Amino acid sequence: MKPPSCAPWSGSDTQRLLEFLDLQESSCLATVSKAVKCSVAQVPRRRSTHMELQAEVAGLQLLLSQLPDAPPTLDTSLLRLRALEAQRTEMRYVYAPDWEVSPGKLVSKKGTWLKRSVGFSWELSETEGEKLYLPPGIVMPMMQVAAVSDPVELARHEWSVQHLRVWLKPTILEVLEARRGTWFLYLPHWEMAGTTIVAKHDTWLKRTTQMSGDLQAFELLYVPKSIPVRLVAPPVAVEEEWEKTRHQHVHLHRRVCLSAPPLTVKQVRMKGEKREQFDVFVGQGDDRGLHHEPIKA
């Protein structure tokens, strides 16, 4: 009996043939398998040498290169979208002498500001989001840092060149935005009445738990005796790790969020031989511009 001139490609041997292929998409496997069986079935058994097999595979690879790409699935599209969002950054300015610059991060040497321009911090509005306060010792991750190059910014004042541009993830800015209106107080100096506190002595609201004598003028808000201060919620314990270790009296401090921006007047004080202007609390305005993080009672 004369043997058949050709036979179907053995299913158990198809995997060996597929190993010759450099496949990029698993969705092509079924197409390739079918094409391999049809093509090889036309080749006489006596000619199925290794070289001829490679030629057949090369032809199949050419066929695959001409196939249209499969449309992306919903999951694939969402993954690509998240990858693009992860690359989004926002640029802000910092005053370089206030920071230690390291690869991928900035560390604040003192209380300082993250600003939308190189303008003087006292000329920028905190309630309008033109600047955001950062206490000393904060490690701020960044994506990139560079010198100031914008001619408009460089022309603002002679200290513009002392600034740096930094690119941050939006989530970093969201955390800082949520802390606007946040202050710390020394609990023994205050009487509590729900969401209103009243100063028992002339005292301070502070931007950190540091001793008031160690703070810069803009980090202090002087509150005269008997002046009430309205809050978003009752005072809470200090939870920030960078605040809890500043000194041995931190446990007597509380964190508060003002329900409205403070109204202040300027007053001069002597700090050593240096004259400083600090703010005196005289009341509160409306709540425009303040964004508070949730407070856990």
Side-chain angles (χ1 to χ4, degrees):
M1 181 176 179
K2 185 178 179 180
S5 59
C6 63
W9 190 264
S10 171
S12 61
D13 204 29
T14 302
Q15 180 63 35
R16 183 173 65 85
L17 179 61
L18 293 178
E19 290 175 356
F20 283 89
L21 301 177
D22 182 18
L23 297 178
Q24 300 297 321
E25 296 289 340
S26 60
S27 61
C28 294
L29 285 175
T31 303
V32 173
S33 179
K34 181 178 179 181
V36 167
K37 291 179 181 179
C38 293
S39 178
V40 175
Q42 300 174 7
V43 181
R45 185 183 298 273
R46 64 178 182 273
R47 296 179 56 201
S48 297
T49 65
H50 182 69
M51 184 177 298
E52 291 169 339
L53 185 59
Q54 285 184 321
E56 291 294 327
V57 170
L60 290 174
Q61 287 178 322
L62 177 61
L63 176 63
L64 284 175
S65 67
Q66 297 172 351
L67 292 176
D69 293 335
T73 64
L74 177 60
D75 289 341
T76 302
S77 298
L78 290 175
L79 287 174
R80 291 175 181 173
L81 179 60
R82 292 192 188 102
L84 289 174
E85 289 177 341
Q87 297 173 9
R88 186 169 69 89
T89 60
E90 294 194 30
M91 191 271 289
R92 294 293 187 273
Y93 294 91
V94 297
Y95 183 56
D98 289 349
W99 297 86
E100 292 180 5
V101 181
S102 301
K105 66 181 180 181
L106 295 171
V107 182
S108 55
K109 300 178 184 177
K110 56 197 294 190
T112 187
W113 301 98
L114 190 65
K115 305 184 291 184
R116 288 186 177 273
S117 78
V118 301
F120 291 120
S121 58
W122 57 86
E123 296 176 347
L124 301 176
S125 170
E126 185 175 7
T127 56
E128 297 297 331
E130 295 176 339
K131 62 182 180 181
L132 294 168
Y133 174 76
L134 289 102
I138 290 295
V139 178
M140 185 171 67
M142 65 170 180
M143 303 300 292
Q144 187 177 347
V145 62
V148 178
S149 60
D150 187 339
V152 175
E153 296 296 336
L154 289 172
R156 289 189 186 277
H157 52 74
E158 60 181 317
W159 301 105
S160 295
V161 294
Q162 297 288 330
H163 287 69
L164 293 171
R165 292 178 294 161
V166 295
W167 283 263
L168 310 167
K169 290 289 187 68
T171 50
I172 302 292
L173 295 175
E174 289 170 4
V175 171
L176 297 176
E177 288 275 1
R179 294 186 60 79
R180 275 196 286 163
T182 297
W183 296 81
F184 295 90
L185 56 82
Y186 182 59
L187 190 58
H189 287 179
W190 296 84
E191 291 180 354
M192 307 294 160
T195 57
T196 299
I197 56 176
V198 180
K200 295 193 290 187
H201 314 277
D202 292 350
T203 187
W204 303 97
L205 287 175
K206 306 182 292 184
R207 291 189 181 271
T208 86
T209 60
Q210 287 178 284
M211 298 292 190
S212 57
D214 296 332
L215 294 175
Q216 303 166 88
F218 73 87
E219 296 176 287
L220 293 167
L221 185 56
Y222 181 80
V223 183
K225 178 181 177 180
S226 301
I227 294 290
V229 180
R230 303 192 312 274
L231 309 176
V232 172
V236 296
V238 178
E239 297 178 347
E240 295 88 341
E241 292 300 324
W242 60 86
E243 296 292 347
K244 291 166 66 175
T245 58
R246 294 201 185 277
H247 54 74
Q248 60 183 345
H249 303 297
V250 171
H251 68 286
L252 294 175
H253 285 69
R254 294 294 183 269
R255 179 166 60 91
V256 298
C257 288
L258 304 189
S259 64
L263 301 177
T264 63
V265 295
K266 293 289 185 182
Q267 186 166 324
V268 177
R269 73 167 181 174
M270 297 299 298
K271 191 172 184 179
E273 298 181 354
K274 184 179 179 181
R275 291 167 58 90
E276 286 188 339
Q277 277 195 339
F278 63 94
D279 293 318
V280 178
F281 181 89
V282 295
Q284 288 172 271
D286 58 36
D287 60 1
R288 179 170 55 91
L290 284 186
H291 301 277
H292 309 288
E293 63 178 0
I295 296 182
K296 298 178 181 178

